[in-house]
Amino acid sequence: MASELEAIDPASQAIVSDEPVLSGVSIADYLIRRLQDYGIGHVFGIPGDYVLAFYAQLCKSPIQVVGCTREDNAGFAADAYARVHGMGAACVTYCVGGLSLANSIAGAYAEKSPVVVITGSPGMRERINNPLLHHRVRDFRTQLEVFEKLCVAATELSDPLIAFREIDRVLAAVARYKRPGYIEIPRDMVKVVPDVPYRYAFPPLASNADALSEAADEAAAWISRARKPVIIAGVEIHRFNLQDRLLAFAEQANLPITATLLGKSVIRETHPLYVGLYEGAMSRDEVTSFVEESDCVILLGEFMTDINMGIYTANLDPNRCILANSETLQIRHHHFHDVLLGDFIRETTARRPTPSRRALPSRNLGNGQKFAVKPGEPLTIARLFSRLNESLDDNTVVIADVGDALFGASDLVIRQKTEFISPAYYTSMGFAAPATLGASFARPGVRVVTIIGDGAFQMTGMELSTVIRHGFDPIVIVLDNKGYGTERFLHPGPFNDIHPWNYHKLPELLGGGIGHEVRTEEEFDRALTQAYNTRGQLQLIQCHIGLEDRSKALDRLAENLGKRV
Ligand SMILES: Cc1ncc(C[n+]2csc(CCOP(=O)(O)OP(=O)(O)O)c2C)c(N)n1
Ligand SMILES: [Mg+2]
């Protein structure tokens, strides 16, 4: 078996075993070995009696179990870990744990994050005569049936004869489709050693050679004729580990690149070919016109969510588009089947298209510009993000929760590829604090900067307890506008107000980290400098901002959404 995630060929998205036929391995041990084959070194969750036997096996393995404060948080943490690391896993008990995890797994499905859900359940022998065992909902399969809807593949390991194959089927689907998978182990199956020889034998995925060649010929010929081509790069470039292939394609043909919000930072945003974020009418005018005037828009790994497309204000004519992602390949109105995204990019590059070049719109990367503090000025969202922009370096991961944390962060310039994480499509509040935990485990040593609205913080902020427990030192910025600012702009009302908390005092309660409370630019500047200069401790900066304040991007979004709700 492949021992590292890197062993998965990004083009084939499958791994093949050269190991001898297995025997004498229990179902739990087989699953644990296969998780490691996919590079999983940490599993997030909370134990319970139905999953304790599996937890005991996990603890004997090299995989570290990370206990969380809530199961949905374990799901968000595993999701962020997967986005950074390639695959993640959460392990929870039956129904009370699993059903609490459902929302985060739904988000992972929607945003294509490869998370494996592992859950215990009542033993098969305990189910005889249909007893009312604790945590049961309707019948014993309720949780399985829920997750069948939320995952790309789901299984209950109730039959030892096919258990290994089922584990492989689910994990292969997770790796291939970058969507969550579900593995339920009835507790009396954990230690069962299947009495069948088994060898992992999933053939690698391959493109249909003729379809691939025809598609690449057609795409390259069109790109060569194009006068104003542009690439829109989407999140799948990151999920399928195709960043280098994308860059080789763009650099070979000198093709300008834009990205969408969910895929923000699929290439480093300081790259000379990078034009900026394209979000329909929400993007900067120069970017919107640069893309929409194009005679050949090459959408790679993109999926057209409403938010990515600026609440469908994007004006992209299919007659001028190549759309290639993991599910479809369409060149204008020609549809190709059985062509893998990575193969399509590689083969089109190999044909060395030679399009016309056009001048890129100018960008302000803030290089060398020093943020000049205006003493005594109240802090605004726009100024907060300008100051933060100045601090980002190659060693930073930025995580943004939904609300103005996300919209304001869209203007940050991310210096490295794949360093921006946000639930920018499913937009479930509360993602960021647990995601901070997951990203910290996935990439220890980097500085995680997390931006969270006060509303979202009140949902899951307690997960910082686990961050502190494990000694991580993210900088957590809480945007305190005393409520649901985004919604206030859509529909004002008392339901958008929340109880004010002293967020900066949380480190005291949690027994670790340092809290800062800021109201002015000067105070923010000082707190951020201090936070950056102090490693080894979580830094929480509570930023009081005006109830009417909002980022420019939110201004544009509110205008568009306001017309629709
Ligand atoms: C789990 C969840 N519940 C409700 C919503 C609807 N919603 C979208 S934005 C928002 C307000 C967010 O408030 P906050 O986190 O303080 O950010 P702000 O809008 O103030 O920047 C709400 C309630 C959601 N997206 N997710
Ligand atoms: Mg708020």
Side-chain angles (χ1 to χ4, degrees):
M1 285 179 203
S3 56
E4 294 290 338
L5 188 65
E6 290 82 74
I8 302 172
D9 172 4
S12 69
Q13 304 136 29
I15 55 179
V16 187
S17 164
D18 51 6
E19 211 179 46
V21 173
L22 274 181
S23 60
V25 177
S26 71
I27 292 176
D29 286 342
Y30 185 74
L31 174 57
I32 290 168
R33 285 171 70 158
R34 300 290 290 118
L35 292 173
Q36 290 173 80
D37 288 340
Y38 281 98
I40 290 174
H42 302 86
V43 167
F44 300 87
I46 298 179
D49 61 343
Y50 290 115
V51 76
L52 278 174
F54 184 71
Y55 260 74
Q57 294 306 110
L58 264 181
C59 283
K60 287 186 212 152
S61 81
I63 293 179
Q64 185 182 349
V65 175
V66 182
C68 293
T69 59
R70 303 162 44 124
E71 283 86 356
D72 55 350
N73 287 2
F76 289 136
D79 178 341
Y81 184 92
R83 292 179 196 215
V84 176
H85 195 67
M87 196 184 279
C91 184
V92 296
T93 195
Y94 183 59
C95 289
V96 288
L99 295 178
S100 165
L101 189 64
N103 179 55
S104 12
I105 296 307
Y109 186 95
E111 297 186 353
K112 298 197 179 182
S113 181
V115 178
V116 184
V117 175
I118 303 161
T119 175
S121 62
M124 298 314 290
R125 284 188 302 271
E126 295 173 81
R127 302 185 192 192
I128 295 166
N129 296 330
N130 206 15
L132 294 177
L133 300 182
H134 64 285
H135 300 342
R136 184 180 145 169
V137 184
R138 193 185 56 204
D139 55 45
F140 288 115
R141 290 174 60 84
T142 305
Q143 180 177 276
L144 171 65
E145 285 166 10
V146 168
F147 278 89
E148 278 170 347
K149 297 277 189 290
L150 303 177
C151 291
V152 67
T155 188
E156 176 195 67
L157 302 178
S158 49
D159 180 353
L161 288 183
I162 56 168
F164 290 177
R165 198 178 160 74
E166 279 296 281
I167 289 170
D168 287 334
R169 178 181 67 82
V170 172
L171 296 182
V174 172
R176 174 176 172 185
Y177 296 104
K178 311 300 176 198
R179 306 265 204 197
Y182 174 89
I183 298 178
E184 178 175 324
I185 318 180
R187 62 177 160 185
D188 56 1
M189 289 290 153
V190 169
K191 291 193 173 166
V192 170
V193 175
D195 189 18
V196 280
Y198 182 75
R199 187 203 292 268
Y200 179 79
F202 273 78
L205 276 182
S207 295
N208 175 304
D210 293 338
L212 172 61
S213 150
E214 204 176 310
D217 284 346
E218 183 171 336
W222 182 19
I223 294 167
S224 286
R225 286 195 309 274
R227 303 182 58 76
K228 298 176 174 178
V230 63
I231 295 172
I232 301 181
V235 71
E236 284 189 347
I237 295 294
H238 167 230
R239 300 288 194 267
F240 288 90
N241 204 10
L242 294 169
Q243 293 97 331
D244 292 341
R245 233 173 256 197
L246 169 74
L247 265 190
F249 174 54
E251 286 173 356
Q252 183 279 317
N254 250 306
L255 288 163
I257 308 181
T258 67
T260 46
L261 193 52
L262 189 59
K264 182 175 167 66
S265 86
V266 288
I267 75 159
R268 72 179 166 86
E269 297 190 315
T270 48
H271 192 285
L273 286 170
Y274 185 69
V275 177
L277 271 196
Y278 173 68
E279 310 163 82
M282 269 162 62
S283 30
R284 289 184 296 119
D285 289 348
E286 313 86 271
V287 181
T288 310
S289 48
F290 190 84
V291 171
E292 296 182 0
E293 282 167 10
S294 167
D295 55 348
C296 178
V297 181
I298 309 158
L299 294 130
L300 296 175
E302 173 56 31
F303 54 116
M304 312 276 209
T305 71
D306 57 353
I307 292 190
N308 274 353
M309 292 296 123
I311 314 301
Y312 290 134
T313 53
N315 183 12
L316 298 176
D317 175 359
N319 289 307
R320 291 183 282 121
C321 288
I322 295 175
L323 174 61
N325 61 33
S326 66
E327 291 165 20
T328 189
L329 171 56
Q330 204 177 325
I331 302 177
R332 279 182 288 217
H333 295 288
H334 295 169
H335 292 253
F336 295 84
H337 300 281
D338 302 325
V339 178
L340 297 175
L341 175 61
D343 289 351
F344 175 68
I345 298 175
R346 190 194 58 234
E347 286 305 304
T348 308
T349 312
R351 282 153 176 77
R352 309 188 72 78
T354 49
S356 305
R357 295 175 65 168
R358 63 174 163 154
L360 306 191
S362 65
R363 295 181 63 213
N364 180 5
L365 298 177
N367 288 343
Q369 282 173 3
K370 211 57 202 113
F371 177 86
V373 172
K374 296 180 193 152
E377 274 295 304
L379 184 63
T380 63
I381 301 231
R383 293 285 288 168
L384 180 151
F385 279 106
S386 318
R387 171 63 185 86
L388 184 59
N389 217 4
E390 191 187 271
S391 299
L392 301 184
D393 60 20
D394 291 358
N395 206 26
T396 314
V397 168
V398 176
I399 299 177
D401 214 297
V402 309
D404 225 6
L406 172 60
F407 301 121
S410 66
D411 289 333
L412 291 174
V413 179
I414 306 299
R415 317 263 144 178
Q416 281 284 70
K417 62 182 184 185
T418 72
E419 308 293 22
F420 182 76
I421 301 173
S422 181
Y425 167 44
Y426 188 64
T427 56
S428 186
M429 287 165 73
F431 173 86
T436 303
L437 177 71
S440 300
F441 270 108
R443 196 164 297 166
V446 300
R447 204 72 201 257
V448 178
V449 174
T450 302
I451 309 144
I452 316 181
D454 51 349
F457 191 90
Q458 291 200 2
M459 291 186 175
T460 61
M462 291 306 136
E463 204 55 63
L464 296 184
S465 167
T466 319
V467 173
I468 290 169
R469 178 179 178 189
H470 292 278
F472 294 118
D473 60 358
I475 298 172
V476 179
I477 297 171
V478 180
L479 303 181
D480 180 0
N481 57 6
K482 321 280 178 289
Y484 304 146
T486 320
E487 296 198 333
R488 280 189 187 125
F489 292 115
L490 299 176
H491 200 118
F495 40 77
N496 290 319
D497 299 335
I498 61 174
H499 185 63
W501 287 8
N502 287 317
Y503 304 95
H504 66 286
K505 292 199 172 159
L506 197 67
E508 210 178 302
L509 171 75
L510 299 179
I514 298 186
H516 311 255
E517 184 179 27
V518 307
R519 290 188 162 77
T520 64
E521 284 192 8
E522 212 170 2
E523 288 168 352
F524 179 66
D525 179 65
R526 202 176 315 128
L528 195 63
T529 307
Q530 246 181 45
Y532 261 100
N533 291 340
T534 320
R535 295 263 6 195
Q537 291 194 75
L538 175 139
Q539 305 281 330
L540 194 155
I541 309 178
Q542 175 177 1
C543 301
H544 292 278
I545 46 173
L547 265 63
E548 301 299 315
D549 188 22
R550 56 173 151 171
S551 67
K552 289 201 180 86
L554 178 55
D555 247 342
R556 294 191 290 260
L557 178 68
E559 214 172 281
N560 281 310
L561 271 180
K563 292 178 198 149
R564 289 161 190 253
V565 293

